[in-house]
């Protein structure tokens, strides 16, 4: 049955190559360590009560790509921790400080969280969703759907 | 922006093109219909029906100076149509593609045209005197998916293509014997056939639905993608301005001036985009990074105020009413126009699939645009 082990897709010139994954030179450990450092600074910011800064850090340079499964899971958890820590009355003012790119990234994490209701608090996510769409409009939802840089944290 | 002329057809309009006093449309079939202006002044009259294609026509382009039509279709063919005073005569184009043709565009000098296709290539076509028909050369690398849209640079050589592999590319479509050697531009100096001069992507991936070179110099390239974004690239400075819009995806884009763009799509209305730093960019020697912004919707409606957005409750009531009447329709009437959105006062009642600037042979920026869409309406707008 050894022929079953041959990766026949590799022989096909037309095979789909995820450009985004093919381009990264970092190893999974490196990326995970990077997110760990990020998680640390987010925790520091949160303990100082500065959730605005924490959210900026959590949304910066999110890991993508199949091989970085662990790092993505961790980053997802970091973002959710920040979202959970913000009082619902402060959500609007924090969202106003985000750049359009950060809004789109945040929307991605919100939809990811809503897709896994067993792990995340959907009530919190829904109130964030409402405010994010108020700022970003339908375009933000379209961008979550169209982007091939998908969050695969489960 | 005022609507100069509009006509509602009882079918989706898949493609349209204008000449000075005639318009041509594809009624979502294998036919192409040419309409002339009604002598009484209002409305259009069907003058000719061109039915040479076997499958649905996907794109039409009209060369204003030479008065030639080119059409392409899902049947993998393209035809050039010449008017001999009485009838339109087709000439087959030797395309050599094995998938549907998706888009066609005449070059500015009208001696070449390019056909985009699903066979991951662009056929650049020119008239072969020896064979007395249109022959083609293929731009292949590095396209990895269906090409969806094209635009020619004013120098008649460079060709921009947007495709379903989520990339915009600028190619050289230089044909020996047809073209003069082009002057060096921001896109490059040496330009043999199939040189890839530039490659860009959308901020959040998504298909590229429409591309357009800036009108006078061609030194900037605008495109719209399925991630609801509009981007403008300036290869001279290497900068790219990207607008993440609040709206649904845009499907077509055209330049109104060097600092203004008009785009339309799933929101059923043309929209104006403007360069934020336009004055600084033209006056200072060291211009800041380009930045564009959404300005306004250009469809002011035939009335003044737009109807209020439908609330969740009224939508619920509408569906309940449909349910109690045992209606099957999902809020669409016979023309396929959705009755849920947008406001009844808008010109287009469904997605605008095509938007063209009516240059009519002049190099100056366009002041008139034509749009067509799934609601069967073709409209001409004055900017």
């Amino acid at each position: 049955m050894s022929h079953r082990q041959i990766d026949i897709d590799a022989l096909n010139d037309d095979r789909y190559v995820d450009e985004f994954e093919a381009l990264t030179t970092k190893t999974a450990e490196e990326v995970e360590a990077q997110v760990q450092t990020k998680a640390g600074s987010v925790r520091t910011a949160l303990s100082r009560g500065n959730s605005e800064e924490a959210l900026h850090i959590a949304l910066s340079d999110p890991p993508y790509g199949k091989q970085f499964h662990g790092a993505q899971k961790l980053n997802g958890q970091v973002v959710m921790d920040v979202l959970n820590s913000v009082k619902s009355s402060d959500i609007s003012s924090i969202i106003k400080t985000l750049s359009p790119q950060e809004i789109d990234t945040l929307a991605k994490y919100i939809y990811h969280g809503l897709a896994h209701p067993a792990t995340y608090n959907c009530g919190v996510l829904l109130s964030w969703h409402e405010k994010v769409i108020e700022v970003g409009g339908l375009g933000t939802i379209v961008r979550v759907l169209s982007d091939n840089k998908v969050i695969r944290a489960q | 922006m005022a609507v100069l002329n509009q006509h509602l057809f009882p079918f989706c309009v898949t493609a349209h093109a204008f000449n000075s006093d005639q318009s041509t449309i594809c009624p979502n079939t294998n036919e192409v219909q040419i309409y002339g202006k009604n002598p009484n002044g209002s409305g259009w009259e069907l003058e000719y029906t061109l039915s040479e294609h076997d499958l649905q026509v996907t794109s039409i382009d009209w060369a204003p100076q030479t008065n030639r039509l080119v059409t392409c279709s899902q049947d993998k063919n393209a035809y050039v149509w010449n008017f001999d005073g009485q009838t339109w005569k087709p000439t087959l184009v030797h395309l050599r593609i094995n998938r549907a043709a998706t888009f066609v565009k005449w070059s500015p000098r009208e001696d070449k045209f390019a056909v985009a296709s699903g066979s991951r290539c662009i056929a650049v076509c020119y008239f072969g005197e020896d064979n007395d028909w249109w022959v083609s050369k293929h731009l292949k690398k590095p396209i990895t998916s269906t090409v969806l849209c094209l635009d020619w640079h004013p120098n008649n050589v460079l060709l921009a293509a947007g495709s379903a592999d989520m990339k915009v590319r600028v190619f050289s479509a230089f044909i020996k014997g047809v073209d003069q050697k082009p002057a060096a531009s921001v896109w490059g100096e040496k330009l043999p056939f199939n040189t890839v001069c530039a490659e860009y992507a959308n901020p959040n991936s998504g298909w590229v639905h429409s591309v357009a070179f800036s009108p006078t110099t061609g030194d900037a390239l605008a495109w719209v993608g399925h991630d609801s974004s509009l981007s403008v690239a300036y290869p001279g400075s290497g900068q790219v301005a990207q607008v993440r819009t609040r709206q649904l995806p845009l499907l077509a884009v055209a330049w109104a001036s060097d600092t203004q763009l008009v785009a339309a799509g799933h929101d059923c209305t043309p929209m104006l985009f403007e360069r934020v730093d336009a004055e600084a960019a033209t006056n200072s020697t060291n211009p800041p990074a380009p930045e564009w912004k959404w300005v306004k919707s250009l469809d002011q409606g035939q009335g003044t105020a737009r109807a209020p957005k439908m609330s969740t409750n009224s939508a619920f009531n509408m569906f309940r009413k449909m349910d109690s009447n045992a209606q099957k329709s999902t809020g669409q009437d016979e023309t396929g126009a959705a009755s849920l959105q947008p406001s009844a006062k808008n010109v287009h009642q469904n997605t605008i699939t095509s938007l063209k600037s009516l240059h009519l042979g002049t190099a100056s920026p366009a002041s008139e645009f034509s749009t067509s869409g799934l609601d069967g309406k073709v409209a001409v707008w004055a900017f």
Side-chain angles (χ1 to χ4, degrees), chain B residues 13 15-19 22-26 33 60-63 69-70 354 356 358 370 372 378:
Chain B
V13 177
H16 82 275
F18 272 88
N19 201 351
Q22 281 179 312
S23 73
T24 173
I25 59 148
C26 165
Q33 299 176 340
I60 306 172
D61 200 24
W62 206 323
L69 266 177
V70 59
S354 168
K356 292 186 174 185
L358 301 177
S370 58
S372 69
V378 178

Side-chain angles (χ1 to χ4, degrees), chain B residues 14 47-48 130 207 210 231 263 285 304 310 329 336:
Chain B
T14 35
E47 290 182 345
Y48 307 95
D130 321 341
W207 291 8
S210 181
S231 311
T285 45
T304 42
M310 185 174 272
S329 143

Side-chain angles (χ1 to χ4, degrees), chain B residues 170-224:
Chain B
V170 177
F171 295 99
S172 163
F174 179 81
I175 303 282
K176 230 169 148 182
V178 178
D179 285 309
Q180 305 290 320
K181 215 167 157 252
S185 69
V186 290
W187 298 100
E189 285 167 16
K190 280 199 158 175
L191 301 166
F193 189 77
N194 209 354
T195 311
V196 181
C197 304
E199 187 175 284
Y200 302 104
N202 285 321
N204 295 63
S205 20
W207 291 8
V208 178
H209 288 304
S210 181
V211 285
F213 275 109
S214 65
T216 37
T217 55
D219 284 351
L221 180 71
W223 71 90
V224 290

Side-chain angles (χ1 to χ4, degrees), chain A residues 35-68:
Chain A
V35 178
Q36 287 284 9
T37 334
K38 212 161 83 171
S41 33
V42 167
R43 263 194 301 273
T44 331
L46 279 182
S47 62
R48 274 189 280 118
N50 192 346
S51 28
E52 185 186 318
E53 190 196 337
L55 188 58
H56 281 293
I57 300 170
L59 292 176
S60 65
D61 195 20
Y64 297 116
K66 250 185 272 168
Q67 68 271 47
F68 305 137

Side-chain angles (χ1 to χ4, degrees), chain B residues 61-82:
Chain B
D61 200 24
W62 206 323
Q65 292 148 50
T66 48
N67 195 30
R68 280 188 301 214
L69 266 177
V70 59
T71 59
C72 71
S73 147
Q74 291 173 355
D75 65 7
K76 302 177 267 184
N77 283 325
Y79 291 102
V80 175
W81 302 83
N82 284 293

Side-chain angles (χ1 to χ4, degrees), chain A residues 14 19 100-102 104 108 133-140 142-144 146-149, chain B residues 120 165-167 199 202-206 226-229 243-249 267:
Chain A
D14 289 343
E19 200 182 312
Q101 191 176 352
E102 284 171 324
D104 290 349
K108 253 194 250 183
I133 302 310
E134 236 167 56
V135 177
L138 288 176
T140 298
V142 172
R143 280 187 283 279
V144 172
S146 74
D147 207 332
N148 58 1
K149 298 192 271 297
Chain B
R120 300 185 304 184
D165 59 9
M166 307 175 188
K167 291 279 192 310
E199 187 175 284
N202 285 321
N204 295 63
S205 20
H226 202 76
D227 59 345
S228 283
S229 73
V243 187
R244 293 155 192 259
T245 73
R246 289 177 54 87
Q247 288 84 13
L248 294 174
D267 268 319

Side-chain angles (χ1 to χ4, degrees), chain B residues 45-349:
Chain B
E45 242 170 37
L46 180 61
E47 290 182 345
Y48 307 95
T49 302
L50 318 180
S51 47
E52 196 70 25
H53 286 291
D54 297 327
L55 290 172
Q56 181 172 319
V57 174
T58 49
S59 184
I60 306 172
D61 200 24
W62 206 323
Q65 292 148 50
T66 48
N67 195 30
R68 280 188 301 214
L69 266 177
V70 59
T71 59
C72 71
S73 147
Q74 291 173 355
D75 65 7
K76 302 177 267 184
N77 283 325
Y79 291 102
V80 175
W81 302 83
N82 284 293
F83 189 59
D84 63 2
Q86 278 170 347
T87 52
W88 286 89
K89 290 243 166 64
T91 319
L92 182 65
V93 182
H94 194 48
L95 279 184
R96 300 180 289 126
I97 55 175
N98 55 10
R99 296 284 188 282
T102 52
F103 195 90
V104 64
K105 184 103 177 168
W106 281 105
S107 72
R109 252 177 251 144
E110 301 177 9
D111 50 1
K112 295 190 292 187
F113 59 88
V115 181
S117 81
S119 57
R120 300 185 304 184
C121 68
I122 304 162
V124 181
C125 307
Y126 56 99
F127 196 71
E129 302 285 349
D130 321 341
N131 303 325
D132 198 28
W133 66 358
W134 292 82
V135 289
S136 66
K137 269 182 96 170
H138 284 182
L139 288 167
K140 269 194 192 129
K141 281 191 175 162
I143 303 167
T144 53
S145 189
T146 301
V147 181
L148 300 166
C149 53
L150 301 165
D151 194 36
W152 286 92
H153 189 277
N155 75 1
N156 210 50
V157 167
L158 293 171
L159 183 69
S163 67
D165 59 9
M166 307 175 188
K167 291 279 192 310
V168 181
R169 299 187 181 87
V170 177
F171 295 99
S172 163
F174 179 81
I175 303 282
K176 230 169 148 182
V178 178
D179 285 309
Q180 305 290 320
K181 215 167 157 252
S185 69
V186 290
W187 298 100
E189 285 167 16
K190 280 199 158 175
L191 301 166
F193 189 77
N194 209 354
T195 311
V196 181
C197 304
E199 187 175 284
Y200 302 104
N202 285 321
N204 295 63
S205 20
W207 291 8
V208 178
H209 288 304
S210 181
V211 285
F213 275 109
S214 65
T216 37
T217 55
D219 284 351
L221 180 71
W223 71 90
V224 290
H226 202 76
D227 59 345
S228 283
S229 73
L230 175 141
S231 311
V232 186
Y234 296 89
S237 57
Q239 285 158 323
V240 181
Q242 300 192 306
V243 187
R244 293 155 192 259
T245 73
R246 289 177 54 87
Q247 288 84 13
L248 294 174
L250 299 159
L251 295 180
V253 64
W255 291 80
S257 73
D258 278 327
T259 53
Q260 284 179 317
L261 280 162
V262 177
H266 288 287
D267 268 319
C268 317
T269 157
M271 287 182 254
L272 179 68
F273 290 83
E274 223 166 44
R275 192 167 166 170
V276 177
D277 48 358
E279 235 167 77
T282 44
N283 295 338
S284 75
T285 45
N286 189 15
E291 197 185 325
W292 284 72
K293 67 165 198 282
W294 178 88
V295 182
K296 59 177 178 182
S297 157
L298 292 169
D299 188 353
Q300 309 297 343
Q302 280 123 328
T304 42
R306 289 192 60 165
K309 274 236 168 108
M310 185 174 272
S311 72
T312 324
N313 239 348
S314 57
F316 174 75
N317 287 336
M318 189 194 82
F319 284 113
R320 189 167 61 181
K321 200 171 131 233
M322 278 165 52
D323 198 36
S324 61
N325 295 346
Q327 278 176 316
K328 259 192 260 165
S329 143
T330 52
Q332 303 219 329
D333 57 29
E334 294 90 54
T335 58
S339 57
L340 259 175
Q341 284 248 331
S343 141
K345 284 174 175 161
N346 283 14
V347 173
H348 280 283
Q349 294 295 307

